[in-house]
Amino acid sequence: MLVTENPIFQLAIFPGGVFALFFGLLLKGIDCKVRARLQCGVGPALLQPFFDLVKLSRKGDPVKATANERIFGASILLGIAAVAAATMPVLIGGIYGKGDILIGLPWIPFLLAVPTLALLAAERHSGAHFAAVRFSRELTLLLIWEGALLLVLFSLVLKVGMNSGGPVVFSLPEILRFQQERGPLLFDPTLLPAFVTYLFFIPALAGEGPFGLGQAEAEFVEGPAHEFSKPVLALFQMMSALRMVAALGLGVALFYPAEQGGSLLLGLSWFLLKCLLLTLASLSLARTTGGHFRIDQLVRLFWKWPAALGLTSLILVLITRSSP
């Protein structure tokens, strides 16, 4: 059951806020360790993301004279607020499998896109010479993974809706209840292609592996980290960790949520394990095995496979109306 139904506590402390940030930074540390092991290395300390955050927060914040300081800083804060608002409802679904969720499912793709838009706005007003190049790349990648995510969500809401007596179901609590009654959607054959698409969506959202082209770290002096220094870079890392947790929590809630009526500790343990497995299956593998592409190659690759799989699920759901 819920620790408290106070939405402020849920957003700021648990399951969103402090808990989500802690878990996101821990996942980043695990991801770095696994990636290093896959490449026969040792890797940094497991808690290195926490150390980096503390170190950056204690330093000064040099901002370029050519930068618009207000927009530069406000953009990152807007991104953190948006992804924090997306984190709380999906974690409630992923951990508890029930509860009144303030933000509906149609809002979540928009909230997950806001951090990218905030990053683009900050880069645009940072005074960086290469911001325009990264701006166009990030915007192209945003359109790619947003389109794939919408195909996945359309498949899910149609599947649940047609098997619940209606056309579509956009309510995340209703999708969770449907899975409690009929089993996780992960095991529905018609939605397996959508789940594979979601595995591509996670590294695309995080900008990892072949989807890190927008960051262009190898080309433009560590990418956005060159402009986002000290406390601003710490805020950027917080936003990245929260968005990773939101994406993983959404995947758990949509495909394999927690059981209703179980203890909080058991539900939380299973949720953390599922998120870790999603991280290993998507982020770590993409970082280790995926090379970089040109932007046109990446667009063709994404629409040829992940988006095609998502469209396949949508078609299968439309032509098979039987219950899972």
Side-chain angles (χ1 to χ4, degrees):
M1 67 190 302
L2 292 171
V3 175
T4 176
E5 295 185 358
N6 187 330
I8 303 299
F9 180 88
Q10 293 175 356
L11 179 64
I13 306 297
F14 182 86
V18 175
F19 168 76
L21 178 61
F22 176 86
F23 182 47
L25 293 173
L26 181 61
L27 280 178
K28 281 182 172 290
I30 295 174
D31 176 43
C32 290
K33 272 291 186 184
V34 172
R35 180 177 49 157
R37 293 298 183 182
L38 290 175
Q39 296 174 340
C40 301
V42 177
L46 188 62
L47 299 181
Q48 189 61 46
F50 296 91
F51 302 151
D52 292 340
L53 196 63
V54 173
K55 178 183 67 175
L56 291 170
S57 301
R58 296 175 60 185
K59 293 188 175 182
D61 186 18
V63 179
K64 290 186 177 183
T66 55
N68 188 322
E69 188 173 353
R70 290 184 178 179
I71 297 180
F72 184 74
S75 300
I76 302 299
L77 294 177
L78 175 63
I80 292 178
V83 76
T87 301
M88 186 265 289
V90 300
L91 292 192
I92 288 180
I95 296 174
Y96 303 112
K98 60 181 179 180
D100 295 329
I101 299 175
L102 301 178
I103 300 174
L105 188 60
W107 285 99
I108 293 177
F110 169 74
L111 292 173
L112 290 177
V114 169
T116 299
L117 299 176
L119 173 64
L120 296 179
E123 284 192 343
R124 178 65 180 82
H125 294 86
S126 66
H129 298 293
F130 300 107
V133 178
R134 288 198 297 267
F135 185 96
S136 62
R137 290 182 178 182
E138 287 285 1
L139 189 58
T140 302
L141 294 174
L142 172 64
L143 296 176
I144 291 174
W145 63 252
E146 275 282 310
L149 177 60
L150 290 177
L151 287 173
V152 172
L153 295 182
F154 284 153
S155 301
L156 289 165
V157 299
L158 281 172
K159 183 68 178 182
V160 176
M162 290 190 301
N163 289 279
S164 302
V168 293
V169 172
F170 288 111
S171 169
L172 187 54
E174 289 296 328
I175 294 175
L176 298 172
R177 281 191 285 270
F178 179 87
Q179 295 184 79
Q180 299 297 336
E181 295 172 0
R182 308 199 185 194
L185 293 174
L186 175 62
F187 304 119
D188 187 330
T190 63
L191 293 175
L192 280 178
F195 178 69
V196 176
T197 299
Y198 200 86
L199 291 180
F200 278 90
F201 158 73
I202 294 174
L205 177 71
E208 300 292 352
F211 307 104
L213 186 64
Q215 303 297 321
E217 293 183 355
E219 300 174 69
F220 300 144
V221 196
E222 288 300 319
H226 185 58
E227 288 84 37
F228 301 164
S229 56
K230 309 307 185 292
V232 178
L233 181 57
L235 292 175
F236 175 75
Q237 292 181 349
M238 291 171 59
M239 182 177 69
S240 176
L242 287 172
R243 188 159 70 160
M244 178 189 294
V245 173
L248 295 171
L250 180 62
V252 171
L254 292 179
F255 290 100
Y256 202 165
E259 294 290 334
Q260 281 192 4
S263 67
L264 174 61
L265 181 60
L266 181 60
L268 181 59
S269 300
W270 275 111
F271 170 78
L272 299 180
L273 178 60
K274 293 169 187 175
C275 287
L276 179 58
L277 292 176
L278 271 180
T279 301
L280 298 179
S282 56
L283 281 175
S284 299
L285 190 60
R287 279 178 142 186
T288 307
T289 62
H292 287 285
F293 298 89
R294 297 196 313 266
I295 189 66
D296 59 322
Q297 293 174 326
L298 188 56
V299 171
R300 287 197 300 269
L301 172 68
F302 205 89
W303 283 112
K304 184 177 180 180
W305 296 111
L309 288 171
L311 183 60
T312 300
S313 264
L314 183 59
I315 295 172
L316 289 174
V317 168
L318 291 172
I319 63 178
T320 58
R321 296 174 179 269
S322 60
S323 300

